[in-house]
Each structure stands twice: as C-alpha cells, then as structure tokens.
Amino acid sequence: MLRRAPHGMQVRHIALMLVVVAFVVVFFCLHLLAEVTRLDDARIKLERAVSKLQQDSIDSSRRHLSFAEEQDSSDGGVGGEDMIVIYNRVPKTGSTSFAGIVYDLCKSNKFHVVHINMTKNAKTLALSDQVRFINNISSWQEKKPAFYHGHLAFIDFSKFGVQKTPIYINLIRDPLDRLVSYYYFLRYGDDFRPYMKRRKAGNKETFDQCVERNGEDCDPENLWLQIPFFCGHAMECWVPGSRWALEQAKQNVLLHYLLVGVTEELGDFIAVLEATLPRFFKDATQMFNNGRKSHLRRTLKKSPPLQGTIDKIHESPIWKMENEFYTFVLEQFHYIKQQTFDVVEGEYLEKGHRYQYEKIRPR
C-alpha cells in the first residue's frame, strides 16, 4: 500500500521547483539581455561601418572631382595656364569691338593678348611661315595663357604633329551686309580712326550704282571671304564658288572651332564664351552690356542697298554659297546657345551642371 509523503516535504519540493524555475527564468532573461546588448553593439558597429563606407565614397568622389578641377587648371585642362585661343577674325564682322573687350579683360583675368599683323593684308601664310608660327606660339611659355587675333585663314595644327592644339573661335556676318559695309568703309573710313585716308577715298559711287554697272568693287566674287577663312590654306579654299571649300569650311567649324558666333548676336556670343571659358572671359558680358565696348568701329557713311540691288546679288551662286555657310553657322550657334542657357523673364541663366560622378572604383 502506497504511503503519502508528509505535507512539509511537499511544500519543500514545490519551493525547490520554484527556485529552479526562477533561476532558469533569471538565467534566460540575463542571456536575452546579453544577446540584445550584443545585437545592439553589432548594429552600432554596422552603422559606423556604413557611415565610413559612405564617407569613403564621398572622399573618393571629392578626390576625383579635385583631380578634375586640377586638370581644369593645369597645363592639360580646358582653361589651363598653357592654353592658347586663336581668333582668326574676318574683316568687317565686329571684330574690333570684340577684340577691344578682350584687351580690357586680359589684365584682370591674367592672360596675354597678341595681335597677328599680316603683311600687306595677306590672308594666308607660306608653308614655312606656318611652321614658324606654330612653333612660335606653342613654345612661347612667357606669353601663356594667350589670346591671338588677326586676319588669318584657319590653320590645322594637328597636320603639323602638334599634340595640344589651340582653341579656335570666330564671328561671321550676313554676307551681303558685310560686303556693303566693307564697300563704304573703303570710301569713308570709320569712327575708330576717322582721320585715316582709305583706299577709295573720294569715290562717292553708291553700292547700288556699282551693282547697276557691274563694277569690280561690288562684284559678287568679293563675297567669297568667310568660307575661305574657315576653309584654310589649301588652294581650293580660295577658288570662288568652290563647293569643296564650302564643305571643308563646315567641317572645320564642327571639328576645330569651339564656338563661331554671328555679328548680329555679338552679345550672345560673348555670353556663351563667358559661360564656357571663364578663364578668359569672366565679366565679359557685363563689360559688353555697359555700352563702352559694345561697338568700337562704325563706318562713317553707309547707304542700305535697294531691293533691286539685293535681288541681283541674290542671283549669284557665290552669294548662295556664302549665305548657306552663314545659315549653317547661325543654326549651330543657336543650338549651342540653347544648350547653354535657359531664358527666364528675358534673362539668360546658365543651365548649370547636368551631370555627376558616381560608382567610382576602386574606392
């Protein structure tokens, strides 16, 4: 027959079990607390690691950006201290006004300006002179960065084995307007040097009268100037009406010129240059807009041609080709201007940076 344990022993047994359970619960709680602490430490370490990776990525980006900025300001970068800009200016396109602004900027922006004086108003150089010219401006370190300007046809530096070629810029003008302006300039001069006697001084024949009698000074062949200036030194460039010369001039505009503007939009041309090459053209827009340098040279007397004269000139194949080139340049300039600026309430605002660096490896 089974015998029941005494009541006191049962109480002690229950108490022992409660102690054991309490011990297990406390142990479990301590273990759980330790695990939570460990996980919290791991979370903190992970956050620190992520933060460090993010900072390393930022520092890496900054290093790459800093390197890019150093390239911009070094001899090899755009706007660097070794840079050369060539403005092979076309006669009667507003070049004196533009050059005047450049001369006023050179001291504050710390670059040199050099005028290329062509003997007897020549537009091209002999091959030997081209080599000397290229060697001169490439090695003249004391005058860098430099802005060269003069009535000189385009020279392709890469053809002579030069690794770092200069930056070309230029302006062109409506071809008939340019010819009419030059026609009267030869007779009456301008307000830039009003006392200088010009080659056709005393000849009071109007442009309309000249065209009516098929005169030499108003011959449409005289329109053939802007195309050859951009075409270059090849013989074919200077053959009036050459289709090859026209196509070569277009190619050179696209491949070798940073920017070609138009006289009729000179202020916009200067604004794009300031946004693109601030190393040279910082404050150029303000200087142009204040009026002091907006137009330095005006022909003293000029009569706009009659419609009949215009119609007769427009029949010329040479005018058609020069006008085709002018239209081509104008469209390219408008495209570049549109890509560079937003127009807000009549003001040009640079579109700013539309790119960023990311996924830079290795860190």
Side-chain angles (χ1 to χ4, degrees):
M1 177 178 220
L2 294 174
R3 301 173 65 183
R4 292 183 176 180
H7 179 71
M9 291 181 64
Q10 289 180 345
V11 171
R12 285 195 300 273
H13 183 70
I14 292 171
L16 180 61
M17 290 183 65
L18 290 174
V19 170
V20 172
V21 170
F23 178 81
V24 171
V25 170
V26 170
F27 177 81
F28 179 76
C29 289
L30 290 174
H31 176 74
L32 183 62
L33 180 62
E35 189 67 18
V36 169
T37 301
R38 185 184 68 81
L39 290 173
D40 191 59
D41 289 342
R43 178 184 61 79
I44 293 173
K45 290 178 180 178
L46 180 60
E47 289 178 348
R48 288 175 179 173
V50 170
S51 177
K52 185 176 185 304
L53 286 173
Q54 290 175 339
Q55 187 61 42
D56 288 345
S57 178
I58 292 171
D59 290 342
S60 178
S61 297
R62 285 175 178 170
R63 284 194 296 273
H64 281 76
L65 289 171
S66 176
F67 175 74
E69 291 168 357
E70 287 171 3
Q71 285 297 97
D72 285 345
S73 61
S74 70
D75 288 350
V78 176
E81 298 307 298
D82 196 41
M83 188 171 69
I84 296 172
V85 175
I86 295 181
Y87 170 38
N88 62 318
R89 47 195 283 188
V90 180
K92 303 307 296 178
T93 58
S95 60
T96 301
S97 297
F98 179 62
I101 292 173
V102 174
Y103 272 107
D104 276 0
L105 289 171
C106 67
K107 187 173 182 180
S108 59
N109 289 345
K110 298 180 181 178
F111 64 90
H112 303 275
V113 184
V114 182
H115 178 232
I116 308 165
N117 188 2
M118 299 292 288
T119 304
K120 296 182 179 179
N121 294 322
K123 308 299 188 297
T124 57
L125 296 173
L127 188 61
S128 55
D129 257 353
Q130 292 180 53
V131 172
R132 280 188 284 267
F133 172 69
I134 291 169
N135 288 337
N136 288 160
I137 70 172
S138 299
S139 60
W140 200 0
Q141 298 297 330
E142 296 81 5
K143 296 300 179 184
K144 290 181 181 178
F147 182 97
Y148 288 83
H149 67 103
H151 297 311
L152 174 67
F154 169 76
I155 298 175
D156 184 359
F157 278 57
S158 63
K159 186 173 72 173
F160 295 85
V162 177
Q163 291 185 346
K164 183 172 182 180
T165 59
I167 292 175
Y168 271 97
I169 63 171
N170 215 331
L171 280 165
I172 67 171
R173 184 177 182 179
D174 177 277
L176 181 54
D177 287 349
R178 195 206 67 80
L179 178 59
V180 171
S181 180
Y182 187 64
Y183 178 90
Y184 285 107
F185 168 74
L186 292 179
R187 284 155 177 75
Y188 299 102
D190 55 35
D191 56 2
F192 187 66
R193 288 185 286 185
Y195 303 108
M196 184 173 180
K197 187 175 181 180
R198 300 296 171 178
R199 179 160 54 89
K200 294 286 184 174
N203 184 333
K204 297 183 179 181
E205 183 178 46
T206 67
F207 187 79
D208 295 301
Q209 292 169 338
C210 179
V211 171
E212 186 178 3
R213 69 173 184 85
N214 297 319
E216 181 180 351
D217 289 349
C218 55
D219 191 308
E221 283 199 4
N222 294 322
L223 290 164
W224 192 258
L225 188 69
Q226 297 187 136
I227 287 174
F229 253 81
F230 285 84
C231 177
H233 279 64
M235 180 189 70
E236 186 69 16
C237 293
W238 298 88
V239 177
S242 168
R243 172 58 59 173
W244 180 89
L246 170 60
E247 297 304 324
Q248 185 64 40
K250 289 180 179 180
Q251 281 292 103
N252 287 341
V253 167
L254 295 177
L255 298 178
H256 298 291
Y257 280 81
L258 176 70
L259 183 66
V260 182
V262 294
T263 307
E264 295 81 0
E265 299 176 25
L266 178 56
D268 294 351
F269 173 70
I270 292 170
V272 175
L273 282 175
E274 181 169 358
T276 308
L277 289 179
R279 175 67 183 81
F280 279 65
F281 295 100
K282 181 178 178 293
D283 298 326
T285 305
Q286 181 181 359
M287 185 173 292
F288 177 80
N289 288 338
N290 70 17
R292 291 189 302 109
K293 296 291 183 179
S294 60
H295 211 308
L296 280 181
R297 172 170 267 175
R298 297 178 188 273
T299 301
L300 288 176
K301 183 178 179 181
K302 183 169 58 176
S303 300
L306 299 173
Q307 188 59 49
T309 301
I310 296 173
D311 293 341
K312 187 172 182 179
I313 294 292
H314 284 186
E315 293 174 358
S316 164
I318 292 178
W319 175 84
K320 291 177 182 178
M321 295 180 75
E322 279 279 351
N323 190 64
E324 180 182 337
F325 179 65
Y326 173 80
T327 302
F328 172 81
V329 169
L330 182 64
E331 290 174 351
Q332 290 295 320
F333 176 64
H334 284 171
Y335 173 77
I336 292 172
K337 185 170 64 173
Q338 182 183 19
Q339 292 292 308
T340 306
F341 297 113
D342 284 320
V343 180
V344 180
E345 297 180 354
E347 297 289 332
Y348 284 154
L349 297 179
E350 188 181 355
K351 289 187 176 180
H353 299 293
R354 291 188 288 176
Y355 67 93
Q356 60 183 359
Y357 301 110
E358 61 181 17
K359 297 181 181 178
I360 302 170
R361 299 293 185 276
R363 290 192 177 94

